[in-house]
């Protein structure tokens, strides 16, 4: 993946918030990739159950008994789109202020993150038109972070999206420590882009009201699985158009994507499939506990998005597209 060196970057929606403290996961919920780590303890049953019942079940405000969590909301709040921040108790280690051009993105992983976020915004603003609103962006954290609406999350969660503050949260150690280390995948440039594109897909679902439709939380045919597969499809939609998505200056941010880049993204989709994670951690699968879908399903939905020709209806996994 190469970025257009002449393209201008907007670094205002990517910030390092250090590390944050506070209470446990609260109302509002969050949605992210199902990444297990040894720090959670227990076998795959405990890991998958924690992820299923704490992360995915809360993303739509539905609690373990099917009731609505108090304080939960997915309504849009324009006041959160600018100047919103997360309380951090540690100092950040990433300097995104120096990310000004595509050339910077070609020479810095931090600036590449800014460029991918910008490209996603450019694409979806044109795809959704007046329905699109800029989110709070990507907040990079270390260790743990206190969100505005989803409580406190730790690095054990992996990358996630909080619908109440419309923010993607990313611990950059995830790529090597979890995806590459725990799951045996790889840390490649377009793998990183796929992860952000998937979480951005949850923001699109939030804007379109799709998250409100999730009722069932576990199982290979559950609404949670449909939600996650659709986010993969949305990621594929962006990927197929990434080299043409442009901002106000009409300069596409991404100038080149190779077959290897796409293969890397598809491989990452495989590596975060529920069956792959369960086999990796336990040596067997339990489809009744799935929350994100199998590796084959995740790969298929990403490819479906790439073949969609910008037709969002191609990504209807059973929850509609708005």
């Amino acid at each position: 993946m190469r970025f257009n060196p002449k393209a201008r970057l907007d670094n205002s929606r990517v910030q390092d918030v250090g590390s944050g403290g506070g209470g446990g996961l609260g109302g509002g919920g969050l949605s992210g990739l199902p990444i297990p780590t040894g720090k959670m303890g227990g076998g795959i049953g405990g890991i998958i159950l924690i992820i299923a019942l704490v992360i995915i079940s809360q993303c739509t405000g539905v609690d373990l008994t099917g009731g609505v969590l108090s304080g939960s909301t997915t309504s849009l709040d324009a006041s959160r789109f600018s100047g919103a921040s997360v309380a951090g108790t540690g100092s950040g280690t990433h300097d995104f202020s120096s990310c000004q051009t595509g050339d910077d993105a070609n020479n810095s992983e931090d600036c590449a993150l800014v460029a991918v976020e910008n490209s996603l915004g450019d694409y979806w603003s044109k795809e959704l038109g007046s329905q699109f609103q800029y989110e709070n962006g990507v907040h990079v954290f270390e260790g743990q972070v206190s969100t505005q609406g989803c409580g406190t999350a730790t690095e054990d969660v992996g990358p996630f999206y909080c619908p109440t503050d419309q923010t993607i949260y990313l611990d950059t150690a995830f790529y090597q420590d979890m995806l590459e280390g725990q799951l045996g995948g790889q840390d490649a440039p377009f793998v990183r882009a796929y992860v952000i594109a998937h979480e951005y897909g949850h923001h699109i679902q939030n804007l379109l009201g799709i998250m409100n439709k999730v009722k069932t939380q576990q199982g290979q045919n559950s609404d949670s699985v449909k939600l996650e597969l659709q986010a993969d499809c949305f990621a594929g939609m962006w990927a197929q158009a990434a080299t043409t998505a442009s901002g106000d200056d009409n300069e596409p941010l991404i100038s080149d994507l190779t077959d290897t880049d796409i293969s890397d993204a598809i491989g990452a989709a495989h590596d975060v499939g529920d069956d792959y994670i369960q086999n990796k951690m336990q040596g067997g699968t339990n489809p009744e506990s799935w929350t994100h879908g199998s590796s084959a399903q995740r790969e298929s939905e990403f490819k479906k998005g790439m073949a969609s020709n910008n037709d969002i209806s191609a990504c209807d996994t059973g929850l509609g597209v708005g």
Side-chain angles (χ1 to χ4, degrees):
M1 176 174 62
R2 294 289 296 173
F3 299 97
N4 179 353
K6 297 184 296 181
R8 302 295 300 176
L9 301 183
D10 176 2
N11 57 39
S12 65
R13 295 189 305 276
V14 181
Q15 59 181 293
D16 188 335
V17 296
S19 59
L25 293 172
L30 46 115
S31 188
L33 296 172
I35 304 303
T37 72
K39 295 180 181 179
M40 275 188 170
I44 188 65
I47 292 171
I48 294 299
L49 186 60
I50 289 172
I51 292 172
L53 301 186
V54 176
I55 303 174
I56 302 307
S57 68
Q58 291 190 38
C59 74
T60 57
V62 180
D63 68 18
L64 307 186
T65 63
V68 177
L69 289 169
S70 59
S72 172
T73 178
T74 55
S75 61
L76 302 181
D77 180 356
S79 67
R80 299 181 187 276
F81 293 169
S82 61
S85 62
V86 177
T89 58
S91 59
T93 58
H94 302 271
D95 179 16
F96 298 109
S97 63
S98 63
C99 302
Q100 303 293 326
T101 67
D103 188 53
D104 295 330
N106 285 326
N107 294 286
S108 163
E109 290 183 352
D110 285 346
C111 296
L113 172 60
V114 173
V116 167
E117 190 279 336
N118 285 188
S119 178
L120 284 158
D122 291 342
Y123 174 73
W124 285 110
S125 65
K126 289 181 171 61
E127 180 68 20
L128 298 187
S130 62
Q131 289 181 288
F132 183 80
Q133 296 186 53
Y134 280 105
E135 59 179 308
N136 199 22
V138 179
H139 285 180
V140 176
F141 70 94
E142 180 180 353
Q144 67 177 22
V145 65
S146 296
T147 71
Q148 293 179 343
C150 295
T152 298
T154 72
E155 60 187 4
D156 297 330
V157 173
F160 66 92
Y161 172 75
C162 176
T164 52
D165 64 14
Q166 301 179 354
T167 302
I168 294 169
Y169 292 90
L170 172 67
D171 182 350
T172 54
F174 153 79
Y175 295 110
Q176 289 186 333
D177 295 348
M178 299 184 192
L179 182 59
E180 190 173 33
Q182 294 283 335
L183 299 180
Q186 63 174 324
D187 179 11
F190 208 65
V191 169
R192 294 180 173 227
Y194 156 73
V195 169
I196 299 302
H198 173 93
E199 300 307 331
Y200 209 105
H202 287 309
H203 177 61
I204 301 306
Q205 292 169 322
N206 193 14
L207 290 177
L208 297 177
I210 299 171
M211 283 188 165
N212 294 330
K213 300 177 182 179
V214 174
K215 304 301 180 185
T216 56
Q217 304 164 25
Q218 292 186 76
Q220 57 186 325
N221 297 315
S222 67
D223 292 343
S224 287
V225 166
K226 295 172 184 176
L227 189 78
E228 297 299 331
L229 293 179
Q230 185 177 65
D232 281 330
C233 189
F234 285 171
M237 284 183 64
W238 164 76
Q240 61 88 26
T243 56
T244 60
S246 59
D248 294 337
D249 59 2
N250 292 319
E251 290 279 357
L253 276 168
I254 299 177
S255 59
D256 180 57
L257 282 181
T258 67
D259 290 342
T260 298
D261 290 325
I262 300 301
S263 178
D264 287 344
I266 293 172
H270 171 276
D271 293 343
V272 290
D274 285 324
D275 56 340
Y276 178 82
I277 292 176
Q278 290 182 341
N279 273 316
K280 189 80 173 178
M281 303 298 291
Q282 180 177 319
T285 64
N286 178 18
E288 292 183 0
S289 68
W290 289 1
T291 59
H292 284 63
S294 68
S295 293
Q297 288 176 307
R298 302 199 69 168
E299 290 180 42
S300 176
E301 289 301 323
F302 183 83
K303 293 176 181 177
K304 185 186 296 183
M306 290 202 64
S308 68
N309 195 27
N310 299 314
D311 181 3
I312 197 171
S313 65
C315 291
D316 184 358
T317 56
L319 297 175
V321 289

